[in-house]
Structures are given as C-alpha cells and as structure tokens.
Amino acid sequence: MFMEIGVGIGVLLASIAFCVLVVYGVRTLQSLRNSLDEANRTLQEVQKQLDSVSAETVKLIQSSHQLTADVQTKMKQLDTAFGAVLEVSGAVHEVTSSVKQVSSAVSHTVRSNVEGALHKHQGKLAEATEWVTLALQAWQKIQSYRKTSKGEDSNVEQ
C-alpha cells in the first residue's frame, strides 16, 4: 500500500512537474512569438523606409547622370573653345614674329641708307654747315650794325 501510495504520489508529482514545465514552455513560446512579431513589424518599417530611400536614391542617381552628361557636353564645348584660342594664339604669334622681322629689316635698311647718305654727303654737309654758320654771323653783324646806326640817327635828330 505504501508502494501504491508512493507510486501515486510520484505520478502526481511528475504530473505537476510536467504541468509546470508545460506552463513555462508555453510562456517562453508566447514571449518568443511576441519577440518575433515585434521583429517582423520592425522589418516591415525598415522595408518601407528602405523603399523610400531607394526611390530617392534612384532620383539622385538620375540627376547625377544628367548633370554628368551636361558637364561632359560643356567640357567638349570648352575643349573646342580652347582649341580655337590656341589656334588664334599661334596665328598672333606668327604675325608678331613676321612684324618683328619686317620691322628689323626696314630698320636695318633705313639705318644703312642714312649712314650711306651721311658718308656719301659728309663733305657737302660740312660745307653747308660752314655756309650756314657764316650766314648767321653775317646776319648778326647786319642786325648789330642796324641797331647802332638807328641809335646814331636818333642822336642826330635830337
């Protein structure tokens, strides 16, 4: 009898332990289910935000592609403009160089002609200078004579 009571009590204790285990298992599973539901809601919110950010990112990428294409077009235009400027610069350099050569040649020719003319007519120039000097001296003497003769005439009248 004690055995039967002992087996009964053992079965009863085992049943109670099993019930306690089942209750804690159910609570653990409910807690796990709540955590999974919360994780699922969070993932859905993240998905919505990610979709929004993805749409904005696509718009930004499209804008950057348009901007890049515009910049490339303008860079090609600038390359063309710089090429034209370089060509004009080269032409100006060639014209300047030609003008310098012509100017140097003309200057050399004029200098040579003037030096040749001076050398050729040096004797005549010296003679002309002497004549001009003599003419100036004569003029000064005539002027001086006139002044003195006017002074004498004015003295005689008084």
Side-chain angles (χ1 to χ4, degrees):
M1 165 143 186
F2 277 126
M3 188 88 125
E4 287 181 16
I5 294 180
V7 170
I9 291 176
V11 170
L12 181 66
L13 286 177
S15 297
I16 292 174
F18 183 72
C19 285
V20 170
L21 182 63
V22 168
V23 168
Y24 281 111
V26 168
R27 283 188 177 179
T28 302
L29 288 175
Q30 284 178 345
S31 176
L32 181 62
R33 182 175 177 219
N34 290 338
S35 295
L36 287 175
D37 287 343
E38 185 66 31
N40 191 23
R41 275 187 251 120
T42 303
L43 284 175
Q44 287 175 353
E45 288 178 20
V46 167
Q47 185 65 38
K48 288 178 186 176
Q49 289 177 355
L50 187 60
D51 289 343
S52 174
V53 169
S54 295
E56 290 178 20
T57 303
V58 167
K59 288 178 186 177
L60 180 64
I61 289 173
Q62 289 172 346
S63 295
S64 67
H65 284 304
Q66 290 173 351
L67 181 63
T68 302
D70 187 42
V71 167
Q72 286 176 345
T73 303
K74 289 180 179 174
M75 289 297 289
K76 287 179 184 177
Q77 291 172 349
L78 280 176
D79 285 344
T80 304
F82 283 137
V85 168
L86 286 176
E87 288 177 14
V88 168
S89 173
V92 168
H93 178 69
E94 289 179 18
V95 168
T96 303
S97 185
S98 297
V99 168
K100 283 181 182 177
Q101 289 175 352
V102 167
S103 174
S104 176
V106 167
S107 174
H108 181 5
T109 302
V110 168
R111 187 179 296 128
S112 296
N113 289 343
V114 168
E115 287 175 355
L118 284 174
H119 184 48
K120 182 178 178 182
H121 300 292
Q122 189 172 9
K124 290 179 183 177
L125 285 173
E127 187 177 322
T129 305
E130 284 182 35
W131 278 105
V132 168
T133 304
L134 286 175
L136 284 174
Q137 288 175 353
W139 178 257
Q140 287 174 352
K141 285 187 181 189
I142 290 172
Q143 290 296 327
S144 172
Y145 177 73
R146 283 184 182 168
K147 285 182 184 178
T148 55
S149 64
K150 282 185 181 179
E152 290 177 8
D153 288 340
S154 63
N155 286 340
V156 171
E157 289 177 7
Q158 292 176 359

